[in-house]
Amino acid sequence: MRAIDIRELTLSFNGQNLFEDFNFSVPQSAWTVLLGASGIGKSTLLRTIAGLENEAKIQGEIRHQGKIAWLAQQDSLYPWLSVSDNVQLLQHLTRSKTAESVEKARYLLSAVKMDKHLHKPCYQLSGGQRQRVALARTLMQEADIVLMDEPFSALDMVTRLQLQDLAHQLLAEKTVLLITHDPQEALRLGEQIYVLRHQPAVLSAPIVPPGKAPRYPDQHLWTLQQQLIDQLTEAA
């Protein structure tokens, strides 16, 4: 089953075609990863799928099955709100918090190991802590599809690995489309990986890493990583 189906998409930004007659499908309940150089159009494509792209000229068809949530590099937390209220942001803004939503937020914050900071304002948190809260807020939405726009790229290596593992665990039943510029992250998390190349962008053949994610480097993954680097270098 396809969770996202893109047909004959032409997407122009500032007079330049980022995508032209572009076709792409994302299977349900799997992690699909898009790799590509900066400026190739990864984020614009993700915003278009989410219905958030307002500046590009768009033609074609995009279908998706289910509700969409977004997890970006910028966590977009409200700094003066508490951790709990940021997770319950919709309920907070619409004044519809209930005992049930408070308890659900507490449960999700426990899952991301942030329950001890429940009432702390978000401006007091570290970058890694903020991204844990953003992940909990994403889970609060109970979406079927999660679009991830380089959510771990600004973190230090240890925190990045921890949050990759945590996100993979908590989003195991979801359809995830992750964009990244990091081949190692793609190979750790992806069930199928594509490289966007050229302009307008075209997809490489899929790479399917062996074994279950999250993966740890071995000789086979190093070989695949070099293949991805070669394709990215060719695309530059």
Side-chain angles (χ1 to χ4, degrees):
M1 293 286 290
R2 296 169 175 172
I4 302 171
D5 199 21
I6 299 174
R7 288 288 170 260
E8 303 298 322
L9 176 68
T10 296
L11 197 159
S12 303
F13 191 82
N14 289 335
Q16 181 179 15
N17 278 2
L18 298 178
F19 298 90
E20 189 173 298
D21 297 328
F22 181 75
N23 298 293
F24 179 49
S25 295
V26 176
Q28 287 185 339
S29 303
W31 281 63
T32 300
V33 181
L34 285 178
L35 274 166
S38 297
I40 201 165
K42 304 185 301 297
S43 295
T44 304
L45 178 63
L46 220 62
R47 289 195 302 271
T48 302
I49 294 170
L52 299 174
E53 180 53 55
N54 298 317
E55 298 182 24
K57 182 179 179 181
I58 302 165
Q59 294 179 321
E61 183 178 40
I62 300 176
R63 296 180 179 179
H64 58 82
Q65 301 291 329
K67 182 180 177 183
I68 287 178
W70 180 278
L71 185 62
Q73 179 179 342
Q74 302 298 325
D75 54 66
S76 299
L77 299 179
Y78 283 59
W80 297 100
L81 289 183
S82 69
V83 166
S84 178
D85 282 346
N86 266 283
V87 174
Q88 299 174 87
L89 186 60
L90 175 62
Q91 292 82 2
H92 176 81
L93 294 176
T94 58
R95 299 183 179 181
S96 59
K97 282 192 295 184
T98 64
E100 181 181 359
S101 72
V102 171
E103 184 55 35
K104 182 179 177 182
R106 186 187 298 272
Y107 169 78
L108 292 173
L109 287 166
S110 177
V112 300
K113 299 179 173 59
M114 285 295 293
D115 48 313
K116 293 181 180 179
H117 305 277
L118 196 67
H119 303 296
K120 184 179 290 187
C122 281
Y123 75 86
Q124 295 182 0
L125 304 180
S126 69
Q129 289 174 326
R130 291 174 65 93
Q131 206 64 334
R132 287 175 183 268
V133 176
L135 177 57
R137 185 175 62 188
T138 299
L139 293 166
M140 188 79 176
Q141 299 175 48
E142 296 187 343
D144 306 289
I145 300 168
V146 179
L147 305 178
M148 305 177 77
D149 188 359
E150 305 198 49
F152 314 121
S153 61
L155 304 174
D156 66 82
M157 181 179 293
V158 172
T159 304
R160 187 186 313 141
L161 292 173
Q162 290 173 340
L163 279 174
Q164 286 173 354
D165 291 351
L166 182 61
H168 195 275
Q169 173 191 342
L170 295 176
L171 298 173
E173 303 301 321
K174 305 291 186 181
T175 298
V176 176
L177 178 57
L178 168 68
I179 64 172
T180 181
H181 62 273
D182 182 354
Q184 190 174 79
E185 179 171 82
L187 290 167
R188 282 204 85 223
L189 299 175
E191 293 175 54
Q192 55 181 4
I193 301 166
Y194 296 88
V195 178
L196 284 171
R197 298 179 292 179
H198 310 308
Q199 200 76 70
V202 295
L203 284 172
S204 69
I207 287 180
V208 180
K212 293 184 178 181
R215 302 176 189 86
Y216 293 89
D218 59 20
Q219 187 58 49
H220 195 170
L221 288 187
W222 285 121
T223 301
L224 289 178
Q225 180 173 318
Q226 188 58 53
Q227 289 181 26
L228 291 174
I229 291 171
D230 290 344
Q231 291 190 47
L232 289 168
T233 302
E234 176 190 336

